[in-house]
Amino acid sequence: MTTADTDLDRHWATVLRWHPYWLLATSALLAAARPEVTPATDERVAVGVLIVAALVLQLWWERARRLRTGPDTASATYFALRWAVSSVLTWLNPFFAFFAATGYLDNNVLLRKQRWRHAGAFASSLPLAAAQAGGLPFRDTGQWALFFGMLLTNNALLTLIGYFVQHEEERSAARAATIAELERTNTALQQALDENAALQAQLVLQAREAGVVEERTRLAAEIHDTIAQGLAGIITQLEVVSHTSDPATAHEHVDRAAALARHSLGEARRSVRNLAPVGLAHDTLPQALRKSVGQWAAQTEVRAEFTLVGRAQELHGELSATLLRITQEALANAARHAGASRVGVTLSYMDGEVTLDVRDDGRGFDPLRPPPRTGTGGFGLDGMRARAERVAGSLSVESEPGHGTAISTRLPLVRP
């Protein structure tokens, strides 16, 4: 409900409360101004008594109406008594027809059923029509005809006005219902917005936490693939130095250890900055894989071969980095666990996908019962599989005790 509607309701409530007093006072003042209308003393006394009675009745109703929220038997009784008093006053003095008109204004408030409201309006029109016809008693047929004519006219006007009032009340009720529905909708919408804001804040927090976890996982994998593998290679080279007495051999392995240290340091820095591996900085993926396989073979003194199948195509940087890291991890696992004498790495470009196969002829294992993690190793097969799945790929393992291991990675062929 708008402010204007609230103000109008408040003003109308004021009119309904005070209009009987105003109309009674107006009628009494007009009657006093024209004393010749009621020349008889006993009539004047009766008028005075009825005015007091009407005032007492109105004061009683002023207190009684505060205890009620709607029309009931008491309000109907008050309406009937007031109509009777106003009708007798109008009989004695036609000016009191103004007081009788109170029934036009509050019959909808005092009477419960619609038919009683129509009856109340008709009853209120009787003293008004009598006053308009010249006042009671009627002296000739002309006054009676004028009375019925005014009665018909008044009720026709009341019917017409009642129709428009009822129509406006229905519109007001519909407007109030619409406003109430809008308020409920706005309340529900505000609740939904609050819930959405809370959900959005929760999603942002979860996304931030997921990002932190993902970044930690990435850094852990990168550190494992760079620093951990580099340190393992350095240790291997230094162990050779500690067990040889040949200065040339020792110098060669120390140089390899230093080269591994520099390479690992560069890779670690690039990993922290989330840059591509150093092997891909200036070489294509097949070139980087060929170099990695050659370096691994030189360090481990295990025969290793790289094979390219299909025409090499430029891949998205993330895919190339993933394949290179998986190759490095697979070779590191072969050196630590397989005891292989031969390793083969095959990169195949096909329609819509690229595959990487790393096979060795080592001791193998049962894929359904992988060896327990010792804490000295790294991410192993789980880390390689996670890398592949991170770029919408897959990784499968085929192995059998005593018959080697084959690791196959399949990635979608996505160009930069």
Side-chain angles (χ1 to χ4, degrees):
M1 183 176 295
T2 63
T3 304
D5 292 335
T6 304
D7 293 340
L8 182 61
D9 290 341
R10 186 170 62 252
H11 294 327
W12 181 243
T14 302
V15 170
L16 291 178
R17 178 182 179 184
W18 295 105
H19 80 282
Y21 296 104
W22 297 335
L23 294 178
L24 180 62
T26 300
S27 299
L29 290 175
L30 292 174
R34 297 293 300 275
E36 65 273 11
V37 178
T38 51
T41 303
D42 54 346
E43 291 180 352
R44 293 180 180 178
V45 172
V47 168
V49 171
L50 289 175
I51 290 176
V52 173
L55 185 60
V56 172
L57 177 64
Q58 193 61 38
L59 292 175
W60 168 80
W61 175 245
E62 184 68 23
R63 295 185 58 185
R65 71 177 183 85
R66 299 174 184 173
L67 304 177
R68 289 165 174 79
T69 58
D72 55 10
T73 302
S75 63
T77 301
Y78 160 72
F79 182 88
L81 291 175
R82 190 186 64 188
W83 175 83
V85 172
S86 64
S87 297
V88 175
L89 282 172
T90 304
W91 181 294
L92 296 174
N93 190 315
F95 285 119
F96 283 94
F98 289 103
F99 181 54
T102 53
Y104 286 161
L105 299 178
D106 57 7
N107 64 332
N108 288 337
V109 178
L110 300 176
L111 303 178
R112 182 180 302 172
K113 297 183 179 180
Q114 191 65 30
R115 64 175 181 271
W116 289 113
R117 294 172 181 175
H118 291 317
F122 177 77
S124 299
S125 69
L126 291 174
L128 263 72
Q132 291 167 345
L136 296 171
F138 299 144
R139 297 178 180 84
D140 52 37
T141 305
Q143 278 190 303
W144 279 103
L146 182 59
F147 166 74
F148 285 112
M150 298 306 300
L151 185 63
L152 179 61
T153 302
N154 288 339
N155 281 276
L157 291 174
L158 285 175
T159 301
L160 183 62
I161 294 173
Y163 169 78
F164 286 111
V165 169
Q166 182 179 2
H167 184 65
E168 184 61 28
E169 288 179 350
E170 292 175 353
R171 289 181 58 187
S172 298
R175 185 168 60 251
T178 301
I179 293 174
E181 182 64 26
L182 288 175
E183 290 178 349
R184 288 193 294 270
T185 302
N186 288 337
T187 301
L189 179 60
Q190 185 61 44
Q191 292 177 351
L193 290 175
D194 294 340
E195 293 175 358
N196 287 339
L199 179 60
Q200 182 179 7
Q202 183 179 359
L203 290 176
V204 170
L205 179 60
Q206 292 177 350
R208 185 181 296 111
E209 293 176 349
V212 171
V213 172
E214 182 177 359
E215 181 64 12
R216 287 176 178 174
T217 303
R218 184 192 69 81
L219 284 175
E222 294 289 344
I223 290 173
H224 168 263
D225 293 342
T226 57
I227 298 177
Q229 292 184 11
L231 291 175
I234 293 171
I235 292 173
T236 300
Q237 300 302 321
L238 294 179
E239 286 178 347
V240 174
V241 173
S242 64
H243 290 86
T244 184
S245 58
D246 183 9
T249 302
H251 185 271
E252 178 184 357
H253 286 282
V254 168
D255 289 342
R256 290 181 181 179
L260 282 173
R262 287 191 293 270
H263 177 78
S264 298
L265 179 59
E267 288 285 10
R269 289 172 176 171
R270 299 181 69 85
S271 298
V272 171
R273 298 175 184 175
N274 199 19
L275 300 176
V278 68
L280 297 172
H282 305 289
D283 295 331
T284 64
L285 176 61
Q287 294 171 342
L289 290 177
R290 193 180 302 277
K291 289 182 179 180
S292 295
V293 172
Q295 291 172 358
W296 180 85
Q299 294 170 8
T300 60
E301 298 181 353
V302 176
R303 181 181 176 184
E305 297 178 351
F306 171 76
T307 304
L308 174 64
V309 178
R311 184 173 62 88
Q313 302 181 46
E314 186 178 5
L315 296 178
H316 189 280
E318 189 68 20
L319 299 182
S320 298
T322 298
L323 292 174
L324 180 58
R325 292 303 191 197
I326 289 177
T327 302
Q328 293 171 342
E329 175 66 13
L331 292 174
N333 288 341
R336 284 195 297 266
H337 310 297
S341 61
R342 182 177 179 180
V343 175
V345 178
T346 303
L347 177 67
S348 303
Y349 289 90
M350 295 177 287
D351 293 337
E353 67 178 8
V354 57
T355 63
L356 175 71
D357 299 299
V358 181
R359 293 178 171 83
D360 66 67
D361 60 355
R363 61 177 58 95
F365 63 95
D366 184 0
L368 299 179
R369 301 175 61 185
R373 299 182 64 171
T374 63
T376 60
F379 279 59
L381 293 175
D382 293 337
M384 289 188 285
R385 183 173 288 109
R387 282 186 178 276
E389 293 175 351
R390 192 176 300 129
V391 290
S394 63
L395 184 140
S396 61
V397 179
E398 296 180 3
S399 185
E400 184 178 350
H403 293 83
T405 301
I407 299 175
S408 179
T409 306
R410 308 173 72 92
L411 302 182
L413 201 159
V414 180
R415 296 178 177 84

